[in-house]
Each structure stands twice: as structure tokens, then as C-alpha cells.
């Protein structure tokens, strides 16, 4: 059983200013999170590798991580098996200027294809006729239908008459596209650059090449062929390769229409997709390579990186580990790779096209696998983690970053690391952003336990039962800690982390001398969770379907509010969203003016691990309570939300409610609640006047005897209240059973209206509902 450590703090970082080239395939990670984690671990920048300051990136899956850490002052060693990842690091370490990129394009544009300059030749491939004036125009893209395998529309802007937009493809457009289908020369060149005749991978390359339309292959290789023909300095040639790399991606059929934000994982064209104009794509790709960042010195292993520099090992981590003996890093930071057939296969194609098939090395093996699942990935990560364990000193920490967190990915990561003998310290999860930050360390005990056993294929049914029983307890403990429903990703992550720490899943019991394959353990965990996360397991699910556990919100079947103290619900019995709201207001009062990153980091520190507040909740809270100053990028508590101002508001609203009640003929009594009492003694209405949206304890604990119970709150809290009800269906269900909302501004309006009856009051209440945060025209 692992030692229980405090939950790790999530480091939110900030969005990158420019995601950079090929960003749609790379892990979407916040900038600054990795460096913040290292400093929180006490690992300071500026210390040479030889003195114990080195950082290892074992997978090289996110070039931005190595660059970020180097620019923070750390010496970084990256094991990068993918030639494309290595090139991204090398070029982005010394970002080119806009002038250098323009000069490289101009050199390529001026090259000749026969008697014609290359640029007008490539542009002519995308000529079409304007639907209004009939003049020849250059299409930005042709739109294709996958089923018919024909273009059905084009996007263009006619500079002569101003017409622009999407228009149906003409018969001439279709004929122009189809004439490239007979071009076998350039397609053969595309195959030969990766896999020559009789190469066992040639069939796989040919299949992958199907995501490139014939015209795209022709245009792309007409440009790539010029790389070796035009006179260019090595630095300019590297820039041309960079621009052509971006164009290689723009040339494929993995661009859906309408655009959206595609993150392709399979080599399958969408039902409708774009065929981009590749000369326009070449020119537009310049901005992907621009960056306002200092240069980073890059060297090749076995040369050690200096502080602020990067050393690249061109190969697999298992080939590096023996060479690291006596030169272990202080820590490892890894963006955990996600199975991505599209990126891995395309990287192999692009590497062969741009540098020749010799550049692929061991990476060519990705051409042979077409399908990946989480069981496979758990085993693959276990193999990588095993090599990493051998590269670390006992006690050295590892940060695993997941940029597209989902239950299967979390399972593969946690179980793969556990199978390799890493000790889990904890998981910090920001569920709505799909960001997970997992902390492990090398433990001599765990490695010895794992290495002393052999593998078996299946876990015993008794072990699945044991996991299921533990998952029931873990889920219950987690939901009690939140005091509000959780998404399946949150519940799965919390429960699995508990199982990994408490059950030593891969340590063989005395009567079983062999251990379980990581992939099979993923299946066993899924089976255990299907039994545990059920009505019989003590859980309720709001929303979702029987086909998947991953939809909806999960809550406790038998939950009852804890007994209140003198000041209401205890902190652990108060919903997490309420706790976050209280802490945010407290922090805004204290700091007076602070940037969002400061606020976010503070809240993440107060609510660590799998309790990390969602990014959406923070945004709603800031809009509810604070005003933003763009010049300083700071947030301040709004004047009307200062504590003294809100106390006066509450007194004013209570006075107005008292006056309205008397005007309607009710007796008025009390303040919290303020009651409107009929002549027969029955309570018509009970009002609770709040400055915040922390109303859960009133809803859960108040014994109502009124015909209607009202929560009166500032209009600025309406969006926040709705957010809480949307994400806490148990609270929403309780509210629907007898509670209503009224905004301060509407109370003000009602106090000025000439109301004579309770019926009129009820009618006017509907004119400013909670979901409408803008004033309405009111007619009487």
C-alpha cells in the first residue's frame, strides 16, 4: 500500500500565445504548468545536469514542453523517436523572423517548372470561374463529398466584382479535379520516398496515401521536388522544409467542412472535407512558425544540455536508458502520448517525403499498426515507463501531463505506470478542460515487487470482485468529499487512483507468482467499475444512457445533508461549487486587484487533486463578482459586491419586501426568512435574501411550511445560480420541489408597481426569470 500524500495541486498555466505548427495533432497543454510543477517540487532552474539539475522528457510527444522548460532555465534531455517531433523542437528553438520566411517562399516561388515560374503554376491548379462576372479566380478550397468522391462546391473571393463565399462546383471544376487521377508519376514518387518496391510497408504507405487527393499529391511533390534543385543555404532550406511540412498537413483530406476544430486521430476523411489551395496554404503557414521567444541552444546526445538548453536523443527511450547510467535526471516531465494513428502514420510519410526513407529509423514501425485501443496503450506506456524507471534515481519525481483526458486514457496511464513499478503520488484533474496532471516517483520497493514476477493474461475473478468493492468505497468517499455530483471522468479518476494506491494491483498475491498484463488490467478495471458504479453500488446517475457510463452526473443514492453547525453546513457538507465561490470572494477582497492566473492558482491550491475547480466555474464566478481591466489584465471585486455595499443591499431588499407584503395585505414577520402571513395564520411566502449564490444549505436544510419559498439574490448571481443548477442535478431537483428565485432588481421594480393582489404579484414574477440576465420591458 502506497504512502498517503496530500493531493497534488493542479497548475493551470496559461493558453499558449501561438499553438504553432501541427498543433491539431499535439497535446493541448497549458503553458507554464510544467515549470510551475518543478519549482513546487523544489527543483530550481539554472543548475547544470552534472550537478543534479537535469530534466528528462522521455517521450518527446509535446515539443512545447521541452522548449518551455529550457526557456525557464532547465537543462532538458528529450528522447524523440518521431523525426517530425525532433524537427519541431529544433526549428522552434530558434524561431525564424517573418522576413526570413518570406525570403524562403520567394526563393521557392521563383524556381522554374519548365518555362513557367513555380508559383503561378501551382496557383493555376485551383483556378475556377466567378459565378457573378465569369472571370477566372483562384479558389481558396474545393469542397469534396466522400461518398461520391467528387467536388461539390468551392470557396473563393473575386477581386474583380467582390463576390465571395461558397458556391457549387461547375462541371469544369469537376473535370479539372479528375484529370489528376491519371497522374501516377507523383503518387509513385510519394510511395518511393517512404517505401520502395518490395518493401513490406509499401502496402501500408499506399493505404495511408489515400487521404491525399491526386491534385494535392501533384502540387505537393511539384514543390517538394524543388527542395533539392533550388540553390539555398542550409538555414533557408530548413525554413522551406518547415513551410512544406505545414503544407503537407494542409494537403490531406482530414479538414472537415464546416471547419470546426478538427483533431484527427484516424486516417479517415470526414463525410465532407476541404481540398485546400496549397500555394495559399504555403503562404499562410508562415504564422505557425513565428514566435516571440528567445533562442534555445540545441545539441545532440551524448552532449549534455547546458541550463537553458536542449539535448535531443534520436531514438527510443529504451535505447537511451543504458547511456544514462551515472547521469540520471533530477526529474522527468512527460506529455503522455495519446494513440493517434493519423499523426503517427502521417509523420512517417512526411519524414520520408522531406528527408528520405532513411530518416524514419525505428519510427517506421507505426506504418504497420492501423488500430489502437486503451488496452494496447496501457501496455505500450508500461514498456516506456519501465525504461523510464531504469533511468531515474530512487525518489525522483515524474510529472505526466494529459491534454485530452478521458477515462480510457487515465486508465492506460495509471495502470501502465503501476505495472512498471512507479509509485503514484496523486492526480490533479481539471475535468472540463480535459487536463490531468499526474505525479509519480520511483520507489525501490515497487520496482522490486514488480520485477520479481512473471505476467499472466487475466486477473482472477476474486481480484475483480476486490476491485469492485474498493471502488464502491472510493466513489462514496469522493462524492462525500465533493458534496455534489461528479462527472464520470472525475469519479473514474478518483476511484482508480484510490485502487492503484490501496490495492497494489500488479503485486502478485502469495498464491499467484505471476502478475497481469497491463492491457488486461484495463479490462478488469472497466468490469469492476461497471459493477461498482450502479444502483446496487449505492450510486444514482442523472442523465446519460445504459450504453455508456461516461454520460451524465453521478451521485449517492442515500445521501442526506449532514447536521448543520451554528453557521450552517460544515465545509465538507457544502457543495464544492459553494466552497469555491466563498473562497474566490475572500481572495478578491484580500488581493483587491489580481490577474486571472493568480486567482486560478490560488483556488487550485485550496482545492487540489480531483477537487480542482472547473475552468468554466471560475469564468462564471469572475463574471458574477468582478470587473476586468484590460490594460492591466486584472480583476477587481465590483463596488456593488463589496461586503458593506451588499449588507446595505440586503437591508434595502428586506425593507422593500416588507412593504410589498403589507401592500398586499399580509402580515410580515422575521428577516431570515422574511414571512408573508395570511390572516388565517398560513404562510404564503418565505423570502431568503442573499448576497451570494450559496443557497444549497437553505434548500437542503430549511423545513418549509410556506406555500412558496423564494431566494432573493442580486441579478449578477443569476448566471452563477443557473450554472450550479445545471451541474448539480441533485440540487436542481430539490429546488424544483418548492423553491423560486427573484432578483434584487425585480424586487425594486415590484416595490414601485401598484400591486393589489397576490395574483398580480405572481403574474409580475414571471417577467424577469432567472435565465434572463438583461432587463425586460414590463407591461402592466
Amino acid at each position: 500500500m502506497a504512502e498517503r500524500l496530500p493531493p497534488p495541486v493542479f497548475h493551470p498555466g496559461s493558453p499558449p500565445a501561438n499553438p504553432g505548427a501541427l498543433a491539431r495533432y499535439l497535446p493541448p497543454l497549458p503553458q507554464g504548468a510544467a515549470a510551475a510543477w518543478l519549482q513546487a517540487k523544489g527543483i530550481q532552474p539554472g543548475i547544470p545536469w552534472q550537478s543534479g539539475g537535469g530534466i528528462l522528457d522521455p517521450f518527446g510527444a509535446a515539443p512545447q514542453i521541452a522548449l518551455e522548460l529550457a526557456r525557464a532555465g532547465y537543462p532538458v534531455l528529450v528522447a524523440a523517436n518521431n523525426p517530425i517531433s525532433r524537427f519541431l523542437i529544433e526549428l522552434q528553438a530558434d524561431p525564424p523572423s517573418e522576413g526570413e520566411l518570406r525570403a524562403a517562399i520567394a526563393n521557392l516561388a521563383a524556381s522554374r517548372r519548365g518555362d513557367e515560374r513555380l508559383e503561378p503554376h501551382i496557383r493555376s491548379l485551383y483556378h475556377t470561374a466567378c459565378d457573378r462576372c465569369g472571370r477566372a479566380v483562384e479558389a481558396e478550397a474545393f469542397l469534396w463529398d466522400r461518398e461520391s468522391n467528387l467536388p461539390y462546391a468551392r470557396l473563393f473571393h473575386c477581386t474583380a466584382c467582390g463576390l465571395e463565399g461558397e458556391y457549387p462546383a461547375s462541371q469544369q471544376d469537376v473535370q479539372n479535379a479528375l484529370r489528376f487521377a491519371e497522374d501516377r508519376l507523383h503518387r509513385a514518387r510519394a510511395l518511393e520516398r517512404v517505401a520502395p518496391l518490395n518493401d513490406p510497408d509499401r502496402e501500408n504507405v499506399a493505404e495511408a496515401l489515400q487521404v491525399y487527393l491526386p491534385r494535392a499529391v501533384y502540387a505537393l511533390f511539384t514543390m517538394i521536388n524543388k527542395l533539392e534543385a533550388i540553390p539555398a543555404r542550409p538555414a533557408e532550406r530548413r525554413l522551406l522544409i518547415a513551410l512544406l511540412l505545414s503544407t503537407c498537413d494542409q494537403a490531406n483530406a482530414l479538414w472537415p467542412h464546416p471547419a470546426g476544430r478538427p483533431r484527427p486521430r484516424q486516417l479517415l476523411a470526414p463525410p465532407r472535407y476541404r481540398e485546400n489551395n496549397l500555394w495559399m496554404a504555403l503562404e499562410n503557414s508562415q504564422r505557425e512558425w513565428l514566435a516571440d521567444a528567445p533562442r534555445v541552444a540545441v545539441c545532440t546526445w551524448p552532449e549534455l544540455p547546458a541550463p537553458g538548453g536542449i539535448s535531443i536523443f534520436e531514438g527510443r527511450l529504451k535505447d537511451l536508458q543504458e547511456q544514462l547510467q551515472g547521469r540520471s535526471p533530477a526529474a522527468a516531465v512527460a506529455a503522455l502520448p495519446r494513440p493517434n494513428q493519423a499523426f503517427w502514420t502521417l509523420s512517417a510519410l512526411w519524414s520520408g517525403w522531406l528527408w528520405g526513407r532513411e530518416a524514419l529509423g525505428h519510427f517506421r514501425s507505426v506504418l504497420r499498426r492501423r488500430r489502437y485501443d486503451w488496452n494496447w496503450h496501457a501496455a505500450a506506456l508500461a514498456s516506456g515507463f519501465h525504461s523510464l524507471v531504469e533511468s531515474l534515481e530512487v525518489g525522483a519525481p515524474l510529472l505526466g501531463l494529459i491534454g485530452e483526458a478521458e477515462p480510457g486514457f487515465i486508465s492506460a496511464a495509471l495502470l501502465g505506470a503501476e505495472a512498471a513499478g512507479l509509485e503514484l503520488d496523486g492526480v490533479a484533474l481539471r475535468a472540463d478542460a480535459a487536463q490531468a496532471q499526474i505525479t509519480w516517483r520511483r520507489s525501490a520497493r515497487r520496482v522490486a515487487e514488480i520485477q520479481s514476477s512473471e505476467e499472466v493474461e487475466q486477473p482472477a475473478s476474486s481480484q475483480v470482485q476486490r476491485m469492485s468493492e474498493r471502488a464502491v468505497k472510493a466513489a462514496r468517499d469522493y462524492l462525500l468529499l465533493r458534496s455534489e455530483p461528479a462527472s464520470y471522468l472525475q469519479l473514474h479518476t478518483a476511484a482508480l487512483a484510490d485502487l492503484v494506491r490501496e490495492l497494489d494491483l500488479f503485486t502478485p498475491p502469495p498464491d499467484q507468482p505471476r502478475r497481469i498484463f497491463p492491457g488486461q488490467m484495463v479490462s478488469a478495471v472497466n468490469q469492476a467499475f461497471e459493477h461498482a458504479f450502479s444502483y446496487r453500488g449505492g450510486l444514482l446517475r442523472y442523465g446519460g444512457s445504459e450504453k455508456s457510463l461516461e454520460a451524465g452526473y453521478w451521485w449517492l443514492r442515500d445521501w442526506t445533508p449532514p447536521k448543520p453547525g451554528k453557521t450552517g453546513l460544515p465545509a465538507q457538507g457544502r457543495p464544492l461549487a459553494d466552497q469555491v465561490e466563498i473562497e474566490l470572494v475572500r481572495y478578491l477582497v484580500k488581493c483587491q486587484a489580481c490577474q486571472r492566473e493568480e486567482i486560478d492558482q490560488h483556488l487550485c491550491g485550496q482545492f487540489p487533486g480531483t477537487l480542482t475547480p472547473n475552468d468554466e466555474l471560475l469564468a462564471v464566478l469572475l463574471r458574477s463578482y468582478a470587473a476586468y481591466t484590460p490594460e492591466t489584465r486584472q480583476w477587481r471585486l465590483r463596488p456593488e459586491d463589496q461586503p458593506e455595499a451588499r449588507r446595505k443591499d440586503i437591508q434595502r431588499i428586506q425593507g422593500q419586501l416588507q412593504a410589498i407584503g403589507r401592500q398586499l395585505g399580509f402580515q410580515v414577520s422575521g428577516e431570515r426568512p422574511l414571512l408573508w402571513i395570511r390572516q388565517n395564520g398560513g404562510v404564503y411566502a418565505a423570502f431568503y435574501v442573499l448576497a451570494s449564490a450559496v443557497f444549497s444549505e437553505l434548500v437542503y436544510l430549511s423545513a418549509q411550511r410556506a406555500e412558496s419559498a423564494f431566494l432573493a439574490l442580486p441579478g449578477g448571481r443569476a448566471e452563477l445560480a443557473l450554472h450550479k443548477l445545471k451541474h448539480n442535478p441533485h440540487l436542481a431537483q430539490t429546488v424544483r420541489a418548492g423553491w423560486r428565485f427573484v432578483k434584487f432588481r425585480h424586487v425594486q421594480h415590484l416595490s414601485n408597481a401598484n400591486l393589489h393582489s397576490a395574483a398580480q404579484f405572481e403574474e409580475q414574477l414571471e417577467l424577469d426569470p432567472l435565465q434572463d440576465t438583461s432587463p425586460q420591458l414590463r407591461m402592466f
Side-chain angles (χ1 to χ4, degrees):
M1 184 183 298
E3 175 193 355
R4 278 286 186 174
L5 296 174
V9 171
F10 184 85
H11 298 281
S14 59
N18 179 6
L22 307 184
R24 68 181 184 143
Y25 300 105
L26 302 177
L29 299 171
Q31 185 174 297
W37 178 84
L38 284 171
Q39 296 202 26
K41 286 288 180 184
I43 302 171
Q44 298 302 321
I47 301 172
W49 188 285
Q50 300 90 324
S51 302
I55 307 301
L56 173 63
D57 178 351
F59 303 125
Q64 67 268 33
I65 295 299
L67 293 164
E68 171 197 322
L69 294 179
R71 289 186 171 117
Y74 293 96
V76 182
L77 170 60
V78 184
N81 194 32
N82 185 340
I84 297 300
S85 296
R86 294 198 296 267
F87 181 75
L88 290 174
I89 294 173
E90 291 168 354
L91 200 88
Q92 292 173 351
D94 187 10
S97 68
E98 190 173 353
E100 290 171 327
L101 290 169
R102 281 201 304 265
I105 290 179
N107 195 2
L108 181 65
S111 62
R112 315 291 295 186
R113 184 188 177 278
D115 296 331
E116 189 179 14
R117 288 175 68 247
L118 184 64
E119 178 183 357
H121 174 70
I122 299 297
R123 287 185 182 278
S124 71
L125 305 179
Y126 302 95
H127 280 178
T128 186
C130 174
D131 279 34
R132 177 185 290 167
C133 68
R135 296 192 183 187
V137 295
E138 191 178 347
E140 173 190 332
F142 289 98
L143 307 180
W144 285 67
D145 177 77
R146 186 178 68 196
E147 185 174 348
S148 66
N149 198 30
L150 293 172
Y152 67 88
R154 63 247 148 88
L155 304 174
F156 67 82
H157 173 218
C158 180
T159 56
C161 69
L163 185 68
E164 63 178 324
E166 177 183 328
Y167 294 91
S170 67
Q171 189 59 40
Q172 187 62 51
D173 293 326
V174 174
Q175 291 176 4
N176 289 343
L178 294 181
R179 69 185 173 90
F180 289 93
E182 304 302 318
D183 175 34
R184 293 184 172 85
L185 178 64
H186 289 81
R187 189 162 289 267
R189 171 79 166 154
L191 281 167
E192 191 71 18
R193 291 283 288 181
V194 183
L197 281 172
N198 303 319
D199 188 307
D201 293 322
R202 188 175 176 92
E203 183 180 341
N204 299 326
V205 175
E207 183 177 337
L209 199 54
Q210 295 305 307
V211 296
Y212 283 88
L213 291 167
R215 176 164 46 195
V217 173
Y218 172 84
L220 198 54
F221 270 85
T222 299
M223 292 188 281
I224 288 175
N225 289 341
K226 295 301 176 184
L227 270 178
E228 299 169 0
I230 61 176
R233 299 185 307 277
E236 186 176 284
R237 189 177 302 279
R238 288 177 69 247
L239 296 185
L240 279 174
I241 289 173
L243 295 167
L244 286 170
L245 174 59
S246 293
T247 308
C248 283
D249 184 34
Q250 289 286 331
N252 62 49
L254 303 180
W255 295 93
H257 183 81
R261 297 181 61 189
R263 292 190 63 81
R265 297 182 187 128
Q266 298 292 326
L267 283 177
L268 178 66
R272 292 194 163 188
Y273 59 89
R274 291 170 59 106
E275 179 196 9
N276 292 312
N277 179 321
L278 292 194
W279 193 266
M280 286 185 180
L282 180 77
E283 293 186 328
N284 292 337
S285 68
Q286 294 178 72
R287 56 178 170 264
E288 294 181 353
W289 296 97
L290 296 173
D292 183 16
R295 180 180 178 275
V296 171
V298 177
C299 61
T300 303
W301 181 266
E303 183 179 349
L304 287 172
I310 295 174
S311 178
I312 298 178
F313 177 78
E314 299 181 358
R316 299 170 296 182
L317 179 61
K318 72 176 185 179
D319 299 323
L320 172 64
Q321 70 179 67
E322 292 183 3
Q323 302 179 42
L324 278 174
Q325 296 300 321
R327 295 186 285 187
S328 295
V333 176
L336 301 186
R338 179 197 176 93
N340 192 320
Q341 183 227 10
F343 181 53
W344 293 347
T345 305
L346 290 174
S347 290
L349 295 189
W350 300 337
S351 299
W353 294 349
L354 297 171
W355 298 295
R357 54 182 173 270
E358 298 79 10
L360 270 68
H362 291 295
F363 192 70
R364 70 182 303 112
S365 64
V366 301
L367 293 168
R368 296 162 203 153
R369 176 171 282 275
R370 297 183 181 128
R371 294 195 176 276
Y372 302 87
D373 59 26
W374 295 120
N375 293 32
W376 175 90
H377 199 50
L381 286 175
S383 176
F385 283 136
H386 178 75
S387 298
L388 176 59
V389 166
E390 298 298 319
S391 307
L392 297 174
E393 298 285 352
V394 172
L398 161 65
L399 171 65
L401 298 165
I402 295 180
E404 295 173 286
E406 59 180 281
F409 202 169
I410 296 292
S411 291
L414 294 185
L415 297 173
E418 178 73 1
L422 285 166
E423 189 91 69
L424 177 65
D425 284 347
V427 183
L429 175 71
R430 173 156 272 171
D432 68 334
Q435 295 285 335
Q437 298 172 3
I438 310 174
T439 303
W440 293 278
R441 55 195 155 92
R442 180 179 179 179
S443 163
R445 178 184 67 84
R446 293 289 300 118
V447 173
E449 289 171 348
I450 294 298
Q451 292 180 345
S452 66
S453 58
E454 301 174 2
E455 289 182 326
V456 296
E457 290 189 0
Q458 296 284 353
S461 58
S462 60
Q463 187 171 9
V464 175
Q465 178 64 27
R466 188 163 60 106
M467 289 191 293
S468 181
E469 291 170 358
R470 182 70 204 187
V472 169
K473 181 182 186 307
R476 184 173 185 83
D477 290 347
Y478 176 61
L479 292 172
L480 285 173
L481 192 61
R482 289 179 62 87
S483 297
E484 67 181 29
S487 69
Y488 181 74
L489 175 60
Q490 292 165 325
L491 190 66
H492 178 102
T493 303
L496 183 56
D498 181 86
L499 262 62
V500 167
R501 284 192 298 256
E502 297 298 326
L503 296 187
D504 284 343
L505 298 175
F506 290 92
T507 301
D511 59 343
Q512 180 180 307
R514 298 185 296 170
R515 65 191 176 98
I516 301 161
F517 282 126
Q520 296 299 331
M521 185 60 81
V522 172
S523 298
V525 165
N526 289 341
Q527 183 182 350
F529 282 6
E530 283 179 8
H531 291 131
F533 302 159
S534 64
Y535 190 82
R536 286 183 302 171
L539 299 186
L540 289 174
R541 180 162 53 151
Y542 294 93
S545 70
E546 296 180 358
K547 297 180 180 179
S548 172
L549 294 177
E550 298 185 22
Y553 287 89
W554 295 81
W555 187 229
L556 296 166
R557 191 182 72 197
D558 59 353
W559 183 82
T560 55
K563 292 182 179 179
K566 292 182 179 179
T567 58
L569 284 173
Q572 191 167 328
R574 181 177 285 143
L576 179 61
D578 286 358
Q579 297 180 51
V580 175
E581 178 183 354
I582 292 167
E583 185 59 36
L584 174 124
V585 174
R586 184 181 295 134
Y587 189 72
L588 285 175
V589 170
K590 179 182 176 182
C591 79
Q592 296 189 0
C594 39
Q595 295 185 348
R596 177 181 172 133
E597 292 80 4
E598 300 172 55
I599 301 168
D600 199 357
Q601 188 63 70
H602 173 77
L603 292 175
C604 290
Q606 296 296 309
F607 304 97
T610 48
L611 297 180
T612 300
N614 279 346
D615 195 57
E616 183 187 357
L617 174 60
L618 173 58
V620 173
L621 283 168
L622 287 174
R623 288 196 295 270
S624 179
Y625 281 99
Y628 182 64
T629 305
E631 294 78 13
T632 60
R633 297 180 53 246
Q634 289 182 319
W635 292 86
R636 298 173 184 269
L637 193 66
R638 287 198 298 253
E640 62 268 31
D641 282 312
Q642 293 291 339
E644 183 57 34
R646 281 305 180 198
R647 277 193 288 271
K648 292 180 179 178
D649 276 345
I650 289 174
Q651 292 173 357
R652 175 175 57 83
I653 295 299
Q654 286 176 332
Q656 290 171 344
L657 288 171
Q658 289 171 349
I660 296 169
R662 294 189 182 103
Q663 181 180 330
L664 296 177
F666 296 111
Q667 296 179 11
V668 177
S669 172
E671 291 185 354
R672 189 178 172 91
L674 187 153
L675 303 177
W676 288 357
I677 304 172
R678 295 183 183 276
Q679 296 299 323
N680 62 8
V683 178
Y684 170 73
F687 293 90
Y688 296 84
V689 184
L690 307 173
S692 70
V694 179
F695 52 80
S696 58
E697 63 183 74
L698 292 172
V699 170
Y700 287 143
L701 300 177
S702 297
Q704 286 305 329
R705 54 190 179 89
E707 296 172 30
S708 295
F710 292 91
L711 297 167
L713 69 175
R717 304 290 178 267
E719 183 189 8
L720 178 56
L722 286 168
H723 177 89
K724 290 183 177 183
L725 296 175
K726 175 183 177 182
H727 294 278
N728 188 338
H730 179 261
L731 177 64
Q733 186 180 63
T734 310
V735 166
R736 284 195 297 270
W739 292 83
R740 300 162 75 180
F741 292 89
V742 60
K743 301 172 195 172
F744 282 8
R745 69 178 182 215
H746 201 45
V747 173
Q748 173 72 50
H749 162 74
L750 293 172
S751 70
N752 295 327
N754 189 21
L755 301 178
H756 298 290
S757 68
Q760 275 188 307
F761 172 76
E762 292 284 344
E763 180 183 334
Q764 298 306 311
L765 278 176
E766 303 303 320
L767 295 179
D768 194 5
L770 186 65
Q771 61 266 29
D772 182 4
T773 57
S774 60
Q776 299 179 7
L777 289 174
R778 301 176 178 86
M779 300 179 66
F780 301 97

